[in-house]
Amino acid sequence: MNLELDIFSKFDKQWALLTAGDENSFNTMTISWGSLGTLWGKPIATTYVRESRYTREFMDNNDYFTVSFYPEEYKDVLGVMGSKSGRDMDKMNDSGLTPEAVANSMTFKEAEMTLVCKKLSKQLIEPENMPQDVKDMFYGDEDWHYMYIGEVVDIIK
């Protein structure tokens, strides 16, 4: 596998959809925090999901997930996918995106690139290990993030 991109802006500026589950039951959410690299001799993607997010249940209950990136014209759709919960509405139907099953998980046909990941690790980011200014800025509600590390097993372009 080979992947060339501006890692720092890919998540922060372009955003992505994190999706877990299968064609019978899945959920997706917009993410702007993430990283790509290597760990344990494997190419990996790291994502972060708050305790309260519906997608976390799917991340916990599935061995695979996808991280998919979209052209600029989908920015508004990704905004909705990140601000509305699948518990409260049918985000898949309302988004206009076309779900597509891929290797043990789901993505959307409109994605310009999808990373298919096999979950390697999940860990709560412990509040006592965070600087106080980070807690003040991002965790006033104490809705902490879990970190998920997945081996990138396929790249679909």
Side-chain angles (χ1 to χ4, degrees):
M1 285 186 300
N2 188 23
L3 179 63
E4 293 184 26
L5 52 91
D6 178 358
I7 290 173
F8 295 112
S9 66
K10 201 68 171 167
F11 285 101
D12 187 42
K13 304 290 185 225
Q14 190 174 349
W15 304 345
L17 289 179
L18 171 65
T19 307
D22 59 30
E23 54 194 319
N24 297 317
S25 179
F26 68 94
N27 200 60
T28 192
M29 64 179 265
T30 303
I31 58 172
S32 64
W33 291 3
S35 61
L36 302 172
T38 56
L39 180 67
W40 304 319
K42 301 171 189 258
I44 57 120
T46 304
T47 62
Y48 306 89
V49 181
R50 288 188 187 271
E51 290 180 321
S52 64
R53 296 302 297 257
Y54 186 46
T55 302
R56 188 175 68 82
E57 297 172 28
F58 290 84
M59 291 292 287
D60 289 349
N61 294 321
N62 289 277
D63 292 331
Y64 288 83
F65 62 90
T66 62
V67 177
S68 52
F69 298 92
Y70 297 81
E72 183 65 31
E73 62 262 25
Y74 289 94
K75 191 82 172 207
D76 288 344
V77 171
L78 271 62
V80 171
M81 299 297 263
S83 63
K84 305 294 182 189
S85 175
R87 286 186 189 112
D88 305 326
M89 66 179 284
D90 184 358
K91 289 196 307 187
M92 301 321 125
N93 191 38
D94 295 348
S95 72
L97 296 176
T98 311
E100 181 174 47
V102 293
N104 301 306
S105 194
M106 298 294 293
T107 189
F108 298 92
K109 288 184 181 180
E110 294 79 6
E112 62 185 8
M113 179 178 63
T114 297
L115 306 176
V116 179
C117 302
K118 181 178 180 186
K119 188 170 56 180
L120 297 174
S121 178
K122 168 198 162 188
Q123 180 176 356
L124 176 67
I125 301 176
E126 298 289 344
E128 58 269 13
N129 294 329
M130 293 180 203
Q132 189 61 48
D133 64 321
V134 170
K135 289 191 279 191
D136 293 345
M137 182 175 283
F138 297 103
Y139 299 102
D141 57 1
E142 297 186 0
D143 189 10
W144 312 110
H145 277 97
Y146 280 87
M147 176 178 60
Y148 294 87
I149 300 171
E151 176 185 3
V152 178
V153 295
D154 197 7
I155 300 171
I156 301 168
K157 294 182 184 180

